[in-house]
Amino acid sequence: MTDDSRQARADALLNTVQEDQHQRLKIFLGAAPGVGKTFAMLSAARELKRQGVDVAVGLVETHGRAETAALLEGMEVLPRRAVRYHDQDFTEFDLDAALARKPALLLVDELAHRNLPGSRHERRWQDVAELLDAGIEVYTALNVQHLESLNDQVHRITGITVRETVPDAVLDRARDIMLVDLPPRELIARLKQGKVYVPETAAAALDAFFSPTNLAALRELALETIASHVESDLREHMLARGSAMPVRRRVLVAIDGHTQSEYLVRVARRIAERRGAPWSVVYVDTGGMVDPVRRERIESAMRMARRLGGDEVILRGHAIAEELLAHADREGVGQIIIGRTRERPFARMLGFSLTQQLLRRGAHLELAIIATPAERARSRRRMQLPARRGTRREYAYATLVTLAAFGLAFVADRYFSVANLALIFLTAVLAVAVRTRMAVAVYTAILFFLGYNFFFTVPRYTLVIANADDVLTVSLFLVVALISSRLATRLASQVESLRAAQVRARALLGLGQRLAASADAGGVRDVGAQALAMALDAQVAILARDAGQALQPVASSPRRFELSAQDLAAAGWSEQHAEPAGRYTDTINAASCWTLPLGSEDSRLGVAALRFDAAGGEPDADHRSLALAMVQDIGRALERARLTDELESARVQGETERLRSALLSSVSHDLRSPLASMIGAAGTLVSYEAQLPREERRQLLEAILGEGQRLDRYIQNLLDMTRLGHGTLKLNRDWTDAAEIVAAAVTRLRKLFPDLRVDTVLPPDTVLLYVHPALIEQALFNILENAARFSPPGEAVRVSVRRTGDRLLIDVGDRGPGIPEEERARIFDMFYSVSRGDRAPQGTGLGLAICRGMIGAHGGSVEALPGDGRGTTIRINLPLPPPPDTDP
């Protein structure tokens, strides 16, 4: 078994499992109204209810048929939602009530129904899709003429354009499709009996839609639809069992934005369905100017492709055939579908037409050329599109340029004897071509051709050319003018396309740079809202969940951005389903904002709401693509910020756990050690006080006092560290002499280490500090005690105080083993200690951490430096304030 076949079998098995889990839809399909779809659906539901299944009726239309209404007796029918529309009262299917009730099976009739404005979704099939996503099994009914891919065929058969359509992708979600069939004669008989429509409507229906020919053709379409889905299911099951199946490659349909685009999309869908192959719609943007009508057709075809389950691709390049073939090779395309191209005679003659290039260079691919009736009609008449005609202003501009050029030519011919006036005319043609459309440039070239012949060739003021050289000159002028205008127009279009691409790239680059500089999610949202508003010329709001899990605007541009209830509903739906909603979509399109999700269903990071100017119409494809790209970048930045926060939280949690363990270890050692000494000494005194000499009793009491003082210092350090950590340490500043602080700290140190020698170097002048004296003294004492514990016997601890500019430096040095360079910065962390470093075995690891906090509270700093040759120097750096005012 090859790797491809293994992969195909794995995909089929996965699809089978997913179908069992997610495909909870059963469709009762009919060829026409009145065949009994609703009756069959209710009958099947009643049988399941009899078996104990929880069944509810969401919405069923009986159309006044008594036998259908009888089947509703005894069934739970959910209440409908009241809707006020055009001053009339209507009822609609209540989606929220169905989701709240959440039965095992729900009946929802008329899948193709269009909901009234103000509903959450535009179409009922979207309501059904949300029910399926919520895990509710749904039974529904559908007529074959409502299928999107069959819309053109139905129009040709019946002459009626069906407006309420259902994407074929909905049928792909169906677990079962039951064909409810009735021969045309029996259906017509039911119609005449009034069992389908009321008598007045039935007569009109018989004359129009319900003709025997139409019903037979629609019945054939229904059978073909069922057969194609049966074939698809069989193919999946055979692959799941490991049976050999031919390799199916992707189907690609190329559109150009003309009227046959939607027809080609439907054809591609049917071909791909028969083959069981994936399919995509591609448009090649050559950089030329595209008029609004054509752009709307492109976007409409792309929307249809999404509804029908296809992929949409936009390629950019000047050679259409090359782009199509390169994309086909990359994506494994097996068949390319194109419409009949409007080829120029010269291109066809030289073999440069799109069809010829694809045939010549794509021999490994299947090429299908589809012609529509409208295309054949257009081929019999040449019809210029609005994009090629130009506007009145452009033709007026071309006429003025033509008149100016003729005036200049008359002057040059009469006063300067210019030999080649054609250069003046060619310059004018180029000037028109670079600023207008091709049709306007051709109009200008023809004017110059006629004017050149009439005014400047012999005989003058006639269109007759007497000289054969003039014939050649005028003819070549026309050819060169047309070619030049074409090249100039194409160059101008390419420049415009490059300018648009540059604007897009600049917007994305600027957004990326600003997002990279944002430190948190709030900054990312502010930057994103401003960048979207600037790039798209729209009002933008970024919404996120607050503490109460309500979706609220957290960033906007402009600052005052009001969202309606419809906007918030669209934003909520967009976040929940990770799909666009609101304006310009089929979901809650009554909203004024276009809402785009930030993140995915697995990682919901908020919603971007964009409100465009109502007078500007729907944003074009470039603006939509830019908006989606920018929102995607913002979502990635928010995801990065979220991961950063999680990593920081994990780091803080780990550090907290480390500190907790260190604190417990320190407390267990540094509290129990002095307590054990005190208890031991006190117990000895209690038990042997009378027997002990006076001197030993004194030593035991001094030991109790010393250990108690040590314990008091430890508890004071813990309290000071707690105050520093919670920001509750209060500074009672006062003016004091730096020498007095040093003297007080040294005096306290000599009580603990009577034999220690301390060398002090003080400035000759008084240095005043505006500090909390007790805290600075305590910080200096902690450093002195630390140095004393590491000083070898007989070595002095050095204290040096000096003034440097507006700073006071206090250096405390010892002659101990020193601290490795890579660990000097860490000795100020709480509970950090190293065996070689600046910690004694009895140390708590809090002294230097407290020192850093106290000095930092005064705007100073503490750092560890290498000693003079050996040992360590701890430097305190304090700011010197201006001297106090001594005036009375």
Side-chain angles (χ1 to χ4, degrees):
M1 182 181 292
T2 65
D3 292 340
D4 291 340
S5 60
R6 290 191 185 97
Q7 181 66 35
R9 184 176 180 183
D11 291 342
L13 286 171
L14 180 61
N15 290 338
T16 302
V17 173
Q18 291 177 343
E19 286 176 5
D20 292 339
Q21 295 178 348
H22 302 293
Q23 292 188 341
R24 304 172 178 271
L25 176 65
K26 183 171 184 177
I27 298 177
F28 292 81
L29 182 69
V35 296
K37 303 180 298 298
T38 304
F39 188 91
M41 178 177 67
L42 285 171
S43 299
R46 290 182 68 87
E47 177 60 25
L48 290 176
K49 181 177 177 62
R50 189 184 64 82
Q51 297 175 10
V53 177
D54 181 16
V55 180
V57 177
L59 184 142
V60 165
E61 297 289 356
T62 63
H63 297 289
R65 300 163 192 162
E67 63 273 16
T68 303
L71 293 178
L72 285 173
E73 295 180 2
M75 303 282 287
E76 179 187 359
V77 181
L78 300 182
R80 300 190 184 187
R81 179 173 56 90
V83 178
R84 185 75 174 175
Y85 182 64
H86 286 175
D87 296 328
Q88 295 186 26
D89 294 325
F90 299 92
T91 59
E92 283 280 15
F93 169 60
D94 195 335
L95 177 59
D96 291 327
L99 292 172
R101 169 64 174 81
K102 200 173 183 179
L105 173 62
L106 185 69
L107 274 60
V108 183
D109 203 1
E110 296 189 356
L111 184 62
H113 172 75
R114 182 188 297 270
N115 295 327
L116 289 173
S119 302
R120 181 183 307 176
H121 300 296
E122 183 180 5
R123 305 296 181 88
R124 184 165 293 165
W125 61 264
Q126 295 172 303
D127 296 338
V128 170
E130 187 166 345
L131 292 170
L132 296 174
D133 292 337
I136 302 174
E137 186 173 359
V138 178
Y139 279 11
T140 188
L142 177 69
N143 288 324
V144 72
Q145 68 263 27
H146 294 290
L147 281 178
E148 183 77 50
S149 64
L150 301 178
N151 194 262
D152 291 305
Q153 293 189 47
V154 172
H155 177 72
R156 288 200 303 272
I157 293 171
T158 65
I160 299 173
T161 300
V162 179
R163 302 297 181 185
E164 296 180 338
T165 58
V166 175
D168 291 50
V170 177
L171 265 70
D172 295 338
R173 296 193 63 174
R175 182 180 59 197
D176 298 311
I177 302 178
M178 176 179 289
L179 178 63
V180 182
D181 189 29
L182 197 65
R185 291 185 178 180
E186 294 185 19
L187 179 57
I188 292 174
R190 284 174 52 84
L191 185 67
K192 292 179 178 179
Q193 295 169 6
K195 295 182 178 181
V196 180
Y197 296 126
V198 296
E200 295 79 6
T201 307
L206 284 172
D207 295 334
F209 190 85
F210 283 82
S211 67
T213 304
N214 289 351
L215 293 177
L218 292 173
R219 189 184 186 199
E220 183 178 354
L221 281 181
L223 292 172
E224 289 179 357
T225 301
I226 290 293
S228 64
H229 280 271
V230 170
E231 181 183 357
S232 178
D233 292 342
L234 177 61
R235 185 183 296 111
E236 291 291 338
H237 288 295
M238 290 183 67
L239 280 175
R241 292 171 54 191
S243 302
M245 292 294 293
V247 178
R248 292 170 306 282
R249 304 181 68 189
R250 180 176 289 272
V251 174
L252 179 70
V253 56
I255 63 172
D256 57 5
H258 296 298
T259 53
Q260 84 280 13
S261 297
E262 292 190 7
Y263 176 79
L264 291 176
V265 171
R266 294 187 180 98
V267 170
R269 158 65 181 170
R270 292 196 295 269
I271 292 176
E273 175 66 21
R274 287 195 294 268
R275 293 187 169 208
W279 61 288
S280 54
V281 179
V282 64
Y283 168 71
V284 180
D285 184 358
T286 59
M289 299 181 69
V290 181
D291 65 288
V293 175
R294 184 179 171 193
R295 184 175 296 279
E296 173 57 30
R297 288 171 180 161
I298 295 171
E299 294 176 359
S300 177
M302 293 298 185
R303 288 194 296 268
M304 177 178 291
R306 291 194 297 269
R307 291 197 303 270
L308 296 179
D311 299 328
E312 51 178 316
V313 181
I314 296 180
L315 304 176
R316 300 185 185 276
H318 301 305
I320 297 178
E322 292 181 5
E323 295 297 330
L324 288 177
L325 293 173
H327 178 76
D329 291 337
R330 288 194 305 268
E331 301 297 329
V333 172
Q335 182 180 21
I336 296 180
I337 301 173
I338 62 173
R340 288 190 59 188
T341 57
R342 287 161 296 283
E343 298 159 350
R344 296 176 177 85
F346 288 114
R348 185 169 58 251
M349 182 175 59
L350 297 176
F352 293 153
S353 68
L354 175 62
T355 304
Q356 290 171 322
Q357 292 183 65
L358 291 176
L359 287 172
R360 184 170 60 250
R361 301 174 54 188
H364 58 292
L365 301 171
E366 296 181 39
L367 181 63
I369 303 172
I370 307 299
T372 66
E375 186 67 28
R376 289 194 294 270
R378 277 197 303 273
S379 66
R380 291 191 295 265
R381 63 182 186 275
R382 302 191 58 167
M383 182 180 68
Q384 283 187 318
L385 295 175
R388 300 298 183 185
R389 292 174 184 161
T391 63
R392 294 182 179 178
R393 181 175 299 179
E394 290 174 340
Y395 281 109
Y397 168 75
T399 303
L400 290 176
V401 171
T402 302
L403 293 175
F406 274 124
L408 182 61
F410 280 121
V411 173
D413 182 55
R414 182 164 184 175
Y415 297 104
F416 301 105
S417 300
V418 176
N420 197 345
L421 299 176
L423 294 178
I424 298 176
F425 301 146
L426 284 177
T427 304
V429 171
L430 291 176
V432 172
V434 296
R435 297 191 59 180
T436 62
R437 292 175 171 84
M438 180 62 188
V440 182
V442 171
Y443 161 77
T444 308
I446 293 175
L447 286 181
F448 280 125
F449 168 74
L450 297 175
Y452 191 11
N453 182 9
F454 189 80
F455 292 110
F456 299 104
T457 60
V458 179
R460 297 196 177 195
Y461 311 116
T462 67
L463 295 178
V464 177
I465 302 177
N467 192 340
D469 292 339
D470 289 341
V471 174
L472 181 61
T473 301
V474 174
S475 300
L476 288 177
F477 164 77
L478 179 62
V479 173
V480 172
L482 292 175
I483 294 175
S484 300
S485 62
R486 171 60 178 167
L487 293 177
T489 304
R490 182 174 180 180
L491 179 61
S493 299
Q494 292 174 1
V495 169
E496 186 66 26
S497 178
L498 289 175
R499 185 179 293 113
Q502 185 182 18
V503 170
R504 173 189 173 93
R506 188 185 300 114
L508 292 176
L509 178 61
L511 175 64
Q513 292 174 342
R514 296 177 64 185
L515 289 176
S518 300
D520 55 8
V524 169
R525 294 187 180 101
D526 289 335
V527 166
Q530 295 170 10
L532 283 169
M534 183 179 301
L536 301 173
D537 191 22
Q539 297 179 1
V540 180
I542 305 294
L543 294 87
R545 297 284 175 182
D546 59 14
Q549 291 302 304
L551 200 60
Q552 297 293 339
V554 294
S556 62
S557 180
R559 289 298 177 186
R560 294 184 60 84
F561 190 99
E562 300 294 336
L563 293 174
S564 65
Q566 293 282 4
D567 295 330
L568 292 175
W573 192 93
S574 185
E575 181 193 42
Q576 181 181 358
H577 296 83
E579 293 181 4
R583 193 178 179 189
Y584 315 128
T585 69
D586 294 334
T587 302
I588 318 181
N589 54 13
S592 63
C593 293
W594 181 32
T595 59
L596 303 174
L598 299 171
S600 60
E601 289 190 42
D602 299 329
S603 178
R604 298 171 182 173
L605 303 173
V607 178
L610 287 73
R611 181 181 294 157
F612 293 91
D613 186 6
E618 184 174 350
D620 57 24
D622 289 337
H623 279 77
R624 281 174 169 266
S625 176
L626 178 59
L628 292 172
M630 295 181 71
V631 166
Q632 191 175 25
D633 287 350
I634 296 170
R636 280 195 288 261
L638 287 173
E639 179 70 15
R640 185 169 60 249
R642 184 183 66 81
L643 292 176
T644 301
D645 291 341
E646 290 180 356
L647 289 174
E648 181 64 18
S649 299
R651 188 193 67 80
V652 170
Q653 185 177 1
E655 185 68 14
T656 302
E657 182 63 24
R658 187 187 70 81
L659 293 177
R660 187 185 69 84
S661 300
L663 177 61
L664 290 176
S665 175
S666 176
V667 168
S668 64
H669 177 271
D670 293 290
L671 285 182
R672 293 182 62 184
S673 295
L675 283 175
S677 299
M678 295 168 66
I679 292 172
T684 302
L685 286 173
V686 170
S687 301
Y688 305 103
E689 180 180 5
Q691 292 86 354
L692 292 175
R694 180 182 179 86
E695 184 63 26
E696 290 185 10
R697 290 199 302 269
R698 181 179 178 83
Q699 290 177 357
L700 289 173
L701 290 172
E702 289 178 350
I704 293 173
L705 177 61
E707 293 298 332
Q709 291 174 342
R710 176 185 168 191
L711 185 60
D712 179 67
R713 289 195 304 274
Y714 178 72
I715 294 174
Q716 185 62 41
N717 282 341
L718 286 177
L719 292 175
D720 290 342
M721 202 70 244
T722 302
R723 294 191 188 100
L724 288 171
H726 289 81
T728 59
L729 187 66
K730 295 182 179 180
L731 299 180
N732 298 318
R733 293 179 181 265
D734 196 4
W735 291 100
T736 185
D737 186 1
E740 294 181 2
I741 293 178
V742 173
V746 171
T747 301
R748 288 178 58 190
L749 182 68
R750 284 187 173 135
K751 292 181 180 180
L752 287 178
F753 302 94
D755 300 330
L756 180 68
R757 190 173 89 248
V758 180
D759 297 336
T760 59
V761 179
L762 300 175
D765 301 328
T766 301
V767 180
L768 292 180
L769 295 172
Y770 188 62
V771 296
H772 189 148
L775 293 181
I776 298 299
E777 178 188 333
Q778 180 65 40
L780 181 58
F781 174 77
N782 288 350
I783 296 175
L784 287 170
E785 182 185 9
N786 195 70
R789 295 186 185 280
F790 269 92
S791 291
E795 294 286 347
V797 173
R798 303 179 311 280
V799 181
S800 172
V801 181
R802 70 180 187 276
R803 181 172 183 167
T804 302
D806 60 348
R807 312 291 295 186
L808 180 70
L809 303 181
I810 304 176
D811 291 344
V812 178
D814 64 62
R815 307 289 288 178
I819 304 174
E821 182 179 358
E822 63 273 9
E823 297 185 6
R824 288 174 190 158
R826 300 189 61 189
I827 65 171
F828 299 99
D829 295 341
M830 286 191 297
F831 306 113
Y832 181 79
S833 62
V834 291
S835 60
R836 298 171 298 172
D838 209 359
R839 294 287 194 272
Q842 301 93 342
T844 63
L846 289 174
L848 292 181
I850 293 172
C851 173
R852 182 178 63 177
M854 291 178 174
I855 298 300
H858 288 81
S861 62
V862 184
E863 59 180 332
L865 302 173
D868 186 10
R870 63 190 178 93
T872 300
T873 296
I874 304 296
R875 173 172 292 172
I876 298 176
N877 189 326
L878 286 170
L880 287 174
D885 187 5
T886 57
D887 295 338

